[in-house]
Amino acid sequence: MPSAPVGLSLLIGMLAASAAALGCNADIQAGFALPAAGGTPGAAPSAEPVATLAALPLPPSAGLRRLTREEFGNSLRDLLGVTVALELEPDTRLDGFEKVGAGRVAVSPVGTELYQRAVYQALDSLWADSSKLGLVVNCDPASDPSCAASVISRFGRRAWRRTLSSDEVTRYVGVANGTGKVLNDPQAGLENALAGLLQSPNFVYRVELGEADPTNSTRLRYTGVELATRLSFFLTNSTPDEALTSAAEHGELDSPGGISQHTQRLLATPQGHESIRGFARELFNLPAVDTVPKDPALYPELTPTLRASLREEVERMWETAAFAPNHQLLDVLTTRDTFVDDELASLYGLPKPGQSAMAPVTLPDSGQRAGLLGTGAFLAVRAKSNETTPTLRGRFVREVLMCQTVPAPPPNVNTTLPAPPAGVTLTRRQQLEAHRASPTCAGCHALMDPIGLALENFDAIGRFRDMDRGLPIDTTGDLDGAPFNGLRQLNQLLRDSPSVRSCLLRNLYRYVLGQSEASGGEAWIDELAKKFDESGQHFGDFTLAFVTSDLFRFAAPPAPTKESL
């Protein structure tokens, strides 16, 4: 594609400057053009009673969130029908989730350039494929004077997740016509206009600011198109499809019944399974599987394809626990049902299914491997390049599965385990016991090490072993006073733990809302836990209760700024 002309460069610069300025406070939110209530101008509020969890504090404040890299890439794919390798600024993880970090970051000048490069790469791929191009540009701007306005209106509605105003359409038609004239190529002019739409903060950011709630002056309600955005990025990790956008514009999402109907529709699709697969990727930081360093001399079997299979196994385990009949979500901690291909079966010592695709298997009842903590993905990421790290594995369980805080070691403490005396061989357990002899280290290690030692039957990439340095492995321990022997007994204790159940709901709160729990958040999490139990701990039923609740549909007004006081 020809280089962008000066006129478009100025437009892109203006859009980039807007994006760089964006955050989540009220003083910059007023710059966005917002759709009418419920997505339909003049539509009356639904008379259907509002579904509420209980008399609870106000939900979290409304705000803006930059699309994560995954959301950005998925949205380009679904809007344009093309997939490109993205080189964007890294996402920020806060409280374990990139979706939370996305509400606290802006776009840097370098990030703006990366967005521009990614957008033009995607559009160039689109323009090179006439069959896909026809789905986006279904007219000829050279012969049809109304083509640019038609394409920009239709595409802009999908890209910005709302209908564009007439002024906005006129502005981008001007970009298409102006640059098309300069380049003597109306198609290139239209491509430049679409590039501007995809670099606008209206695309790069999720605009969920709410509007006055006529039934309750103390809070805001999300408009129909904002609810479509919230639903879609939770359930599919991508921009709303046409059915959801149309439903929002016709007021169907103004009531819990309409939200429930479209949630059920999406959950029944492969795209809707992203609701739990995306949660699994973020909670377990699965992308780290691709890059965690391992000694190739010790672990030559850890190929790039095996790493991909390790990630896929965890996502499929969560997917099964969430969507398979007669499964509860917490079954993911204890299940012996998993998925392997030939490489992963070899790592686990299982019969090979004879295929490169993942196949369902049931792990042998005689073995210790089971549940999420028995997956190679978990075990490999929480280990060093050449040996296991029980402390790291135990810390993950305490912090991510139980939502407990483990203090960092004091700055003057040497965390390296001392080498045993010459001629003496010690297991990892024995080394840690010597390390815990120090009063400075004992308290924190007592929280983490017994849990991690239950997994010592699995090496630094998840292979089973029964000896450590030629000595028998001891996997006994206790979880807050409850004894166990080995991973499977530990798994069951975690499955039955109220702390794990509560922590799961806390993490779902963060992932779905894209926010850390603030004032009043604990009460909402407690109420979500009640709804989780009432749903039989089934993900689908719980999801319906979540997205039709006041917590998802309403927001507190933004906190006052210095300028507004």
Side-chain angles (χ1 to χ4, degrees), residues 482-505:
F484 60 77
N485 185 359
L487 174 60
R488 290 182 59 182
Q489 289 187 15
L490 171 63
N491 284 344
Q492 191 61 52
L493 291 176
L494 293 171
R495 172 69 173 82
D496 297 338
S497 167
S499 295
V500 171
R501 166 182 153 279
S502 175
C503 186
L504 174 66
L505 275 300

Side-chain angles (χ1 to χ4, degrees), residues 299-302 306-307 309-310 313 340-352 369 374-377 379-380 458-465:
Y299 311 111
E301 63 268 67
L302 191 60
L306 178 57
R307 289 176 187 262
S309 298
L310 291 172
E313 179 195 18
V340 299
D341 57 11
D342 282 355
E343 276 192 289
L344 191 50
S346 179
L347 179 70
Y348 288 176
L350 300 172
K352 295 181 180 181
R369 191 185 305 276
T375 62
L379 295 162
F458 304 97
D459 70 9
I461 62 169
R463 288 182 304 202
F464 182 81
R465 62 181 188 170

Side-chain angles (χ1 to χ4, degrees), residues 15 19-20 68 103 110 120 138 159 176 295 312 327 330 359 389 394 462 467 479:
L15 296 172
T68 65
V110 171
Y120 275 110
N138 59 353
D295 187 335
E312 181 68 15
H327 277 65
L330 284 170
T389 312
M467 305 289 282
L479 180 69

Side-chain angles (χ1 to χ4, degrees), residues 111-135:
T112 301
E113 294 178 6
L114 294 174
Y115 277 128
Q116 179 178 348
R117 186 182 306 167
V119 165
Y120 275 110
Q121 182 181 355
L123 287 171
D124 287 348
S125 296
L126 174 68
W127 247 259
D129 188 332
S130 58
S131 62
K132 293 179 179 178
L133 178 62
L135 300 176

Side-chain angles (χ1 to χ4, degrees), residues 321-344:
F323 293 104
N326 304 317
H327 277 65
Q328 295 179 320
L329 192 55
L330 284 170
D331 289 345
V332 76
L333 293 172
T334 55
T335 184
R336 291 188 296 113
D337 295 328
T338 189
F339 298 84
V340 299
D341 57 11
D342 282 355
E343 276 192 289
L344 191 50

